[in-house]
Amino acid sequence: MQAAKENFLLYLADSTHILSHRNSEWCGHAPILEQDIALTNIALDLLGQSRNFYQYAAELIGNNATEDSLAYLRIESEYKNLLLVELPKEDWAHTVLRQFYFSVFLFYLYQQLQQNKDVQIAAIATKAIKEVAYHVRWSGEWVIRLGDGTEESNQRMQYAVEAYKNFTGEFFVLTNYEKQMQIDFELIQQQWNDKVAAVFNDATLSFTNSNFHQVGGKEGRHTEYLGYILTDMQYLQRTYPNATW
Amino acid sequence: MVNEQSISVANIWKIVETIPDPEIPVISIVELGVVREVKIENDIIEIIITPTYIGCPAMDMITMHIKLALMEAGFKNVKVTSVLSPAWTTDWMTEETKNKLKAYGIAPPNTKQIVCTPDLFIQDEAVACPHCNNFNTKMVSRFGSTACKALYFCNNCNEPFDYFKCH
Ligand SMILES: [Zn+2]
């Protein structure tokens, strides 16, 4: 149970961490200033969630683990993030759609975690869910704005839907450690499907349901893209161990 | 020469109350609701703080300012602990604090809590412009210069302003 909880915390920490990094790549590049600020704010919220999960995981793992050692000194195959969040940022349509898929999942997951028997997990979820609600609204509104926008924006949105169709299934293909967490994932899947369907309806987009799912991220089997992120992120600690500033 | 003060919870509160928020210096970290508790045990002072937003980057700076202010007053055994529960809310802000925000040009948070829903296109109830008090305002972006603020525009006086989101 303890090991399952550690893995589950690392899965959440790594997923929020990597998506935070991907969003931060937009800093200075978003279409307009307000959206640049919105996306970096979301990146900051995700990083805050990630730090709290790492800190708690480090406490449980012991052995002098810290949030920094978990973030900076684990290799690719030890990272447990969803494949969806490590994919390159692509265009604005891909970015807002990925954020939407992920935020809707987190929202319903945190809704359950608020009642978790583990008080620290419950506290993090209770704190974070207000912010995740903002993310759902911001990203969902963009999905509708682009989907129900111009011919080109609709087409780009539809390309993004196509690009991620095999990656959203991983939310609900459960690992052993998730199965031990006493979370009703079937309920989350139902809620996720309903929310995505409602927004897609408003956005005049069609959801491509895929029976084939790309999985493995949650158990350390990643696409080629994660390595580049970790190289970028871990370079300093790897080259100058224990460097501080 | 440090000004030696006796260790009492009330004295420590008085010192902490003088520390301004690093991002909105017109209100203190106590008025913002970040400082939750002061404890003294065996001459060790513990200050319990809670973040406004989970990734608030000002927390490390607030921790440092607390330690510095107490050190200046002669207290060296200081521990600052950050907790998440109960989760910070703008409901803790007093009317006086809200007035200070407004005088500074930031529209204070409305009291009604509608943030915790994933429904789209929901706006906060009307936000009054802190400059001209007119309610004819619109949201430009839900995310402003800091995590706790949204960016608004006043259609009456044509001035942009920050709104301290109710949270
Ligand atoms: Zn005005």
Side-chain angles (χ1 to χ4, degrees):
Chain A
M1 183 58 211
Q2 168 86 1
K5 193 185 280 186
E6 288 167 15
N7 284 330
F8 181 68
L9 288 167
L10 287 174
Y11 154 53
L12 292 179
D14 291 339
S15 294
T16 45
H17 184 198
I18 298 299
L19 187 56
S20 171
H21 183 88
R22 278 294 184 226
N23 286 347
S24 74
E25 291 174 345
W26 275 101
C27 185
H29 299 278
I32 53 171
L33 182 63
E34 285 76 10
Q35 298 311 326
D36 199 295
I37 293 171
L39 206 47
T40 40
N41 264 296
I42 293 172
L44 189 62
D45 289 341
L46 290 173
L47 196 60
Q49 294 172 27
S50 170
R51 283 188 65 181
N52 278 280
F53 289 128
Y54 279 137
Q55 284 163 3
Y56 187 37
E59 206 182 304
L60 296 182
I61 291 167
N63 280 328
N64 297 323
T66 65
E67 55 175 323
D68 285 340
S69 73
L70 294 177
Y72 292 124
L73 299 175
R74 281 181 310 138
I75 58 171
E76 234 175 307
S77 58
E78 292 169 301
Y79 259 72
K80 295 181 169 50
N81 60 278
L82 294 156
L83 298 175
L84 176 71
V85 301
E86 71 195 37
L87 300 176
K89 76 179 190 337
E90 306 292 348
D91 69 0
W92 190 251
H94 283 74
T95 298
V96 295
L97 182 65
R98 167 165 61 188
Q99 189 64 50
F100 177 64
Y101 283 157
F102 185 70
S103 296
V104 173
F105 172 70
L106 272 196
F107 183 84
Y108 293 117
L109 175 65
Y110 287 176
Q111 235 174 22
Q112 287 192 37
L113 292 183
Q114 284 181 292
Q115 282 93 42
N116 200 275
K117 273 182 281 179
D118 184 306
V119 290
Q120 185 58 17
I121 291 179
I124 298 171
T126 304
K127 178 75 195 164
I129 196 166
K130 291 188 194 182
E131 295 156 21
V132 174
Y134 279 128
H135 305 169
V136 170
R137 285 155 64 182
W138 177 85
S139 57
E141 286 166 14
W142 266 107
V143 169
I144 294 171
R145 200 171 285 130
L146 293 184
D148 191 21
T150 64
E151 199 181 317
E152 183 181 349
S153 72
N154 174 277
Q155 194 169 55
R156 284 194 184 212
M157 212 61 227
Q158 202 64 63
Y159 285 155
V161 173
E162 200 58 26
Y164 294 145
K165 73 172 181 193
N166 296 329
F167 288 92
T168 57
E170 194 182 9
F171 287 132
F172 308 110
V173 178
L174 302 182
T175 57
N176 276 327
Y177 59 83
E178 287 166 286
K179 286 178 192 159
Q180 292 175 58
M181 287 305 295
Q182 293 173 320
I183 296 164
D184 186 349
F185 280 100
E186 269 175 39
L187 175 65
I188 301 176
Q189 185 164 18
Q190 189 56 50
Q191 292 167 319
W192 189 90
N193 285 341
D194 290 349
K195 183 74 185 171
V196 170
V199 167
F200 272 38
N201 187 46
D202 287 347
T204 68
L205 293 168
S206 43
F207 187 74
T208 328
N209 221 337
S210 174
N211 291 322
F212 173 73
H213 305 304
Q214 292 282 6
V215 296
K218 294 193 280 193
E219 288 170 311
R221 297 188 303 278
H222 292 279
T223 67
E224 65 186 277
Y225 304 112
L226 182 65
Y228 290 97
I229 301 179
L230 294 186
T231 306
D232 215 12
M233 203 151 34
Q234 298 184 339
Y235 163 79
L236 202 118
Q237 282 303 323
R238 299 276 188 197
T239 314
Y240 306 98
N242 302 319
T244 54
W245 67 90
Chain B
M1 189 64 206
V2 283
N3 176 18
E4 283 288 339
Q5 298 187 45
S6 65
I7 296 192
S8 79
V9 170
N11 269 342
I12 303 301
W13 271 110
K14 261 186 224 155
I15 297 165
V16 176
E17 272 163 10
T18 63
I19 305 171
D21 175 68
E23 281 166 345
I24 312 168
V26 286
I27 59 173
S28 76
I29 54 175
V30 173
E31 290 171 308
L32 185 61
V34 164
V35 183
R36 302 314 304 158
E37 208 183 339
V38 172
K39 289 185 197 165
I40 300 173
E41 232 169 274
N42 305 325
D43 286 353
I44 295 171
I45 301 167
E46 186 179 13
I47 316 281
I48 315 282
I49 59 174
T50 195
T52 52
Y53 279 64
I54 202 165
C56 179
M59 292 310 280
D60 291 339
M61 189 173 260
I62 288 173
T63 300
M64 192 179 74
H65 286 172
I66 291 173
K67 287 184 176 166
L68 282 177
L70 290 173
M71 201 183 282
E72 229 167 80
F75 302 113
K76 289 192 187 70
N77 286 329
V78 178
K79 192 167 108 185
V80 180
T81 311
S82 183
V83 299
L84 291 179
S85 184
W88 177 86
T89 163
T90 46
D91 286 351
W92 293 342
M93 243 183 236
T94 63
E95 283 308 307
E96 193 194 339
T97 304
K98 289 181 181 179
N99 288 336
K100 285 186 189 173
L101 284 177
K102 188 173 174 233
Y104 188 60
I106 297 172
N110 289 329
T111 39
K112 197 150 175 257
Q113 293 272 339
I114 56 160
V115 286
C116 218
T117 140
D119 297 332
L120 310 185
F121 299 108
I122 288 181
Q123 299 272 337
D124 264 324
E125 58 183 296
V127 173
C129 169
H131 309 298
C132 70
N133 297 319
N134 201 291
F135 279 94
N136 183 11
T137 60
K138 67 170 183 215
M139 187 176 75
V140 178
S141 173
R142 186 162 289 132
F143 300 90
S145 53
T146 63
C148 53
K149 285 177 270 165
L151 195 57
Y152 271 69
F153 184 81
C154 175
N155 293 323
N156 184 52
C157 69
N158 287 335
E159 287 286 336
F161 64 92
D162 273 335
Y163 167 54
F164 203 114
K165 286 182 280 201
C166 86
H167 193 77

